[in-house]
């Protein structure tokens, strides 16, 4: 569950997803199980501080929530997002997945 006590504004949502790394993190986490920073570092082949910084941007906005399990932090898409935000995120996810499929088909 997300710990945000504020409302996401559309301009902030689009700004945070305009970064390619944050968009990839979103793609990995959307409709998937929670992931820890180490998983994302390995998947994205980027340094841990970079991934942590991007996760923090997504968490601050309220798109992601995280749960501490000992020394591990598990990130997932927040479950209390506004309906309009979920609709945009769902459409964005489908477009990313379709683009990935289209690109691999043309290769």
């Amino acid at each position: 569950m997300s710990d945000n006590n504020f409302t996401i504004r559309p301009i902030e949502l689009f700004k945070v997803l305009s970064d390619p790394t944050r968009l990839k993190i979103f793609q990995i986490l959307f409709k998937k199980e929670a992931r820890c920073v180490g998983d994302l570092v390995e998947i994205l082949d980027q340094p841990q501080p970079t991934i942590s910084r991007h996760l923090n941007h997504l968490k601050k906005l309220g798109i992601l929530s995280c749960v501490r399990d000992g020394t591990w932090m598990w990130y997932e898409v927040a479950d209390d997002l506004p309906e309009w935000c979920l609709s945009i995120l769902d459409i964005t996810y489908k477009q990313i997945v379709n683009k990935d499929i289209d690109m691999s088909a043309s290769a």
Side-chain angles (χ1 to χ4, degrees):
M1 179 180 218
S2 175
D3 57 358
N4 55 359
N5 295 320
F6 51 89
T7 303
I8 297 172
R9 296 187 326 213
I11 190 87
E12 295 164 338
L13 175 67
F14 294 121
K15 279 183 184 179
V16 81
L17 291 178
S18 68
D19 180 89
T21 300
R22 289 192 290 264
L23 190 59
K24 285 197 176 280
I25 290 170
F26 157 75
Q27 179 185 3
I28 292 165
L29 295 176
F30 196 70
K31 296 188 177 184
K32 307 253 188 307
E33 61 191 43
R35 302 273 187 156
C36 66
V37 175
D39 291 341
L40 296 169
V41 165
E42 186 176 314
I43 293 167
L44 297 170
D45 193 29
Q46 292 193 27
Q48 181 271 326
T50 300
I51 298 300
S52 292
R53 187 182 74 240
H54 287 298
L55 286 167
N56 191 44
H57 282 290
L58 292 163
K59 186 175 177 267
K60 275 179 156 176
L61 184 60
I63 293 175
L64 297 184
S65 62
C66 67
V67 175
R68 181 178 293 279
D69 182 18
T71 59
W72 296 92
M73 295 293 287
W74 295 93
Y75 292 87
E76 62 187 353
V77 174
D79 61 2
D80 61 349
L81 293 170
E83 190 61 38
W84 69 265
C85 188
L86 282 174
S87 295
I88 289 171
L89 293 174
D90 188 53
I91 291 166
T92 302
Y93 176 78
K94 288 175 182 172
Q95 288 300 310
I96 293 168
V97 170
N98 287 340
K99 182 179 178 192
D100 287 347
I101 291 170
D102 291 345
M103 290 175 75
S104 64
S106 63

